[in-house]
Every structure is written in structure tokens, then in C-alpha cells.
């Protein structure tokens, strides 16, 4: 068996590749030319250089592969309008679908996000509507559009495809970094501010194992939340301090202050300026998440681990590679 992993140098993708290699599965990684391969150092895989927005590149990468794990994505949170993210997240997914059909790929696994499903009781697997607070996220909207295209193909042309929706992933090989910024920021600063809400934190290696299990398990046309433990940011920072043996001091940001900053961010976006924080994601930061991985555990045999192990692995990798001391 040979598996194509798009966006191979990404945080989740590089952990998926390691899990595939551990299972003695051949891997072809699709990457943009001259991209950073730090997360793939030491791995024996076949590389296919190309851009996900070019169909000919995707077709070439897909040729001879039995399964495609489509992890390539534009994860920018700077846009409320999804259109700037469509070339990669939507058009790129259409290219992958077309190539999968042309190359008779047995199964397509699409990496989406739990943001397309929601928070606190809005996470029923299979629910198609965005949480109200994610409707201003161009990223979530673009990924939801890609999901809908895949599900339409499942129904219209019997495409064999599974969608997975990871929550906030923590672990090693986060070379950009993405979610690991929360760890780096806290450990680099003696005093760090944190929101009053919380997130669902998942070990990226558990998510990667579930995705690899989806090659043989899981039902076509289904969405699976890949989640871990629901924690407040305060609980996470306390655990991070303990695991990293750090002495950073966390200060909670009052919800009113964070929401006011979000309002300012929304205004800046309205007049055409970039702002990572807006009113809606400020509101999300003040809310707890209550997400379960029951479906993924039952159908994808998703492993569960202590999130402290994921934090320890992330901190160790960041220290080894000079991101933090």
C-alpha cells in the first residue's frame, strides 16, 4: 500500500507520516517546492513537489497511490471572508477529489477542523451547521465548504471518503509553529496572559493514529471529531508549568477586556486592515469547550492519552530545536 499525504511538512501531517512508517506503509509526501522540511528530518519517504492549487501537480502526486490523506490547508485566521482561503482549502480539495477518481484511489481522508462543528453541545457528529461564533471565521467557512463538496461527491459518485475534525492539537514536530505558539509564548515570558475560557486539547499523535486507522475503518461520508480533554486555559497553563518545570506566572484576561479588543479587531477588519482577533473569536476565547471523541474511539479506535504526555513531547521538541530554552 502507498499513501499520499498532502501538505506533508505540516504539524499533523508529519505526525501522520511517522505513524504510517511505523506501520510499514509506503508514503509519498506532496510539498511545495523549497518549503521547510524540518518536521520531516530523518524520514525515508518519497517526495512529490507541487502546489495543491495545480491539478496537474495533484494528479502526478496521486498516481500509483492507494489512499490519499489530504492535510494541505491554508490555516490563516486573519480573514472573516472565506474567499481568500478558497484557492487552497476549496479548489485544492476539488483537485484532490478529481485526482483520486482519475487514479482509482481506494479512499480519501480529508483533514478538516472541529471548528466546522462547534463548541459546548453543538458537536454532534454529522451536524452540518457552523456554530454562530465560527460564522465569521473564513478558515472554518472554507473548510466547511470543502466538507460539503466531499459529501456531495460521496452521494453523487460513490467517492469513498472520510472526514476527520481534530480539535486543538499539542505535540512534537510543530515546526512553523501553529498550535504550539501557546506553549512557546507562555514559556518564553515570565508573565503571560490567558483567556477565561477553554479548549479541547488533543495529543497530535492520537489524532494521527486515528487518521491512519481510518484507512481501514470508519464509514464513508461520515465526520469524526478527534478530541482529547476539555480544559480551561488556566488549567492548561498550570499543567504546562508543571510539565516544563517552568515558573511563568499566568494572569487571566477579563472577558470584558478581551471582547472589547475583539470589537476593535472587527472594526479594523471592516476598514480593510488585518487583525487576528475579532469579536467572534474573542467570544470563543471566553467560552469553555465540551467536545467528545466517543465516535472516533468506537469506530476509528482512536487511542487516548494523558495530555501531559503531549505537552512534554512538544516542550522537548521545541527545546531540542531551539524554539525555547
Amino acid at each position: 500500500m502507498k499513501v499520499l499525504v498532502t501538505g506533508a511538512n505540516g504539524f499533523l501531517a508529519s505526525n501522520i507520516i511517522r505513524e504510517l512508517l511505523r506501520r510499514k506503509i509506503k508514503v509519498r509526501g506532496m510539498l511545495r517546492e523549497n518549503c521547510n522540511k524540518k518536521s520531516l528530518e530523518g524520514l525515508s519517504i518519497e517526495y512529490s513537489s507541487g502546489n495543491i492549487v495545480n491539478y496537474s501537480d495533484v494528479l502526478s502526486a496521486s498516481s500509483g497511490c492507494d489512499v490519499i490523506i489530504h492535510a494541505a490547508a491554508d490555516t490563516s485566521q486573519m480573514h472573516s471572508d472565506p474567499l481568500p482561503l478558497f484557492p487552497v482549502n476549496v479548489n485544492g480539495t476539488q483537485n484532490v477529489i478529481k485526482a483520486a477518481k482519475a487514479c482509482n484511489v481506494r479512499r480519501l481522508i480529508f483533514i478538516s477542523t472541529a471548528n466546522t462543528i462547534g463548541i459546548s453541545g453543538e458537536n454532534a457528529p454529522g451536524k452540518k451547521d457552523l456554530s454562530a461564533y465560527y460564522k465569521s471565521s473564513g478558515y472554518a467557512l472554507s473548510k466547511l465548504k470543502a466538507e460539503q463538496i466531499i459529501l456531495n461527491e460521496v452521494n453523487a459518485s460513490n467517492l469513498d471518503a472520510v472526514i476527520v475534525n481534530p480539535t486543538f492539537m499539542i505535540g512534537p514536530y510543530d515546526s512553523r509553529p501553529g498550535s504550539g505558539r501557546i506553549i512557546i509564548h507562555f514559556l518564553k515570558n515570565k508573565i503571560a496572559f490567558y483567556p477565561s475560557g477553554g479548549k479541547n486539547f488533543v495529543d497530535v499523535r492520537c489524532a494521527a493514529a486515528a487518521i491512519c486507522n481510518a484507512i481501514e475503518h470508519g464509514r464513508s461520508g461520515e465526520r469524526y471529531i478527534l478530541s482529547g480533554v476539555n480544559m480551561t486555559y488556566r488549567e492548561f497553563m498550570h499543567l504546562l508549568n508543571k510539565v516544563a518545570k517552568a515558573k511563568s506566572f499566568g494572569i487571566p484576561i477579563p472577558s470584558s477586556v478581551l471582547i472589547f479588543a475583539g470589537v476593535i479587531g472587527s472594526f479594523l477588519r471592516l476598514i480593510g486592515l488585518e487583525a487576528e482577533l475579532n469579536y467572534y473569536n474573542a467570544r470563543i476565547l471566553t467560552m469553555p469547550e465540551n467536545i467528545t471523541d466517543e465516535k472516533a474511539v468506537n469506530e476509528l479506535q482512536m487511542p487516548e492519552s494523558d495530555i501531559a504526555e503531549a505537552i512534554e513531547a512538544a516542550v522537548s521538541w521545541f527545546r531540542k530545536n531551539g524554539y525555547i530554552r
Side-chain angles (χ1 to χ4, degrees):
M1 179 190 297
K2 181 178 285 188
V3 176
L4 170 66
V5 180
T6 67
N9 62 329
F11 176 36
L12 176 57
S14 61
N15 278 277
I16 291 170
I17 289 170
R18 283 175 169 79
E19 180 64 21
L20 290 169
L21 293 176
R22 190 185 69 79
R23 301 181 186 199
K24 310 299 183 185
I25 295 173
K26 295 178 182 178
V27 178
R28 178 182 294 160
M30 183 177 179
L31 301 149
R32 287 174 298 170
E33 193 171 1
N34 300 321
C35 70
N36 183 350
K37 296 181 182 177
K38 188 175 186 65
S39 62
L40 299 173
E41 288 178 353
L43 299 185
S44 179
I45 67 171
E46 179 185 344
Y47 289 107
S48 180
S49 178
N51 194 316
I52 203 74
V53 303
N54 297 326
Y55 174 66
S56 60
D57 291 347
V58 181
L59 182 64
S60 176
S62 303
S63 178
C65 291
D66 303 286
V67 174
I68 298 175
I69 299 177
H70 180 32
D74 184 342
T75 60
S76 173
Q77 300 290 338
M78 301 299 291
H79 306 284
S80 55
D81 181 356
L83 290 180
L85 296 103
F86 265 43
V88 172
N89 294 350
V90 177
N91 301 342
T93 299
Q94 290 174 315
N95 287 339
V96 170
I97 293 170
K98 185 178 177 182
K101 293 165 71 174
C103 297
N104 296 313
V105 167
R106 179 162 63 86
R107 169 160 277 191
L108 167 62
I109 301 171
F110 176 62
I111 312 298
S112 187
T113 168
N115 292 0
T116 64
I117 295 173
I119 59 176
S120 297
E122 298 175 282
N123 61 304
K127 184 182 172 87
K128 303 288 191 297
D129 297 326
L130 275 176
S131 161
Y133 295 106
Y134 285 108
K135 286 183 178 177
S136 69
S137 166
Y139 172 63
L141 288 167
S142 66
K143 295 296 270 189
L144 182 64
K145 178 64 175 178
E147 287 186 16
Q148 291 167 341
I149 290 170
I150 289 173
L151 294 174
N152 287 341
E153 285 291 336
V154 170
N155 294 326
S157 63
N158 294 318
L159 175 74
D160 188 325
V162 170
I163 298 169
V164 293
N165 304 78
T167 59
F168 196 81
M169 294 175 287
I170 296 294
Y173 310 109
D174 190 2
S175 61
R176 274 191 260 193
S179 58
R181 287 186 300 170
I182 190 173
I183 293 175
I184 294 171
H185 174 74
F186 191 68
L187 295 183
K188 273 190 170 182
N189 295 280
K190 294 296 182 183
I191 298 176
F193 295 89
Y194 61 85
S196 58
K199 292 194 83 66
N200 182 281
F201 297 89
V202 63
D203 189 325
V204 68
R205 297 165 298 183
C206 292
I211 290 163
C212 293
N213 290 344
I215 293 172
E216 302 296 342
H217 301 285
R219 291 170 286 154
S220 181
E222 289 293 316
R223 300 199 295 174
Y224 295 88
I225 300 169
L226 308 183
S227 63
V229 57
N230 300 302
M231 302 178 73
T232 65
Y233 290 106
R234 181 180 183 277
E235 290 169 336
F236 181 81
M237 296 305 181
H238 177 75
L239 182 58
L240 174 56
N241 247 344
K242 181 180 178 181
V243 170
K245 296 180 174 59
K247 295 181 180 179
S248 296
F249 184 69
I251 300 175
I253 306 171
S255 296
S256 57
V257 172
L258 191 60
I259 291 171
F260 179 70
V263 170
I264 293 174
S266 290
F267 174 74
L268 293 175
R269 288 187 179 188
L270 191 63
I271 62 174
L273 299 177
E274 289 189 348
E276 189 164 355
L277 187 70
N278 66 7
Y279 169 75
Y280 289 99
N281 53 33
R283 285 292 304 273
I284 289 168
L285 289 170
T286 67
M287 297 176 176
E289 284 192 344
N290 182 25
I291 297 177
T292 175
D293 62 358
E294 181 178 355
K295 184 178 178 183
V297 170
N298 291 339
E299 297 190 26
L300 302 183
Q301 288 81 58
M302 179 174 174
E304 298 177 284
S305 70
D306 186 341
I307 198 65
E309 296 176 7
I311 294 173
E312 184 176 17
V315 170
S316 176
W317 193 84
F318 285 138
R319 282 176 171 161
K320 181 180 177 181
N321 288 276
Y323 291 83
I324 53 177
R325 293 183 178 179

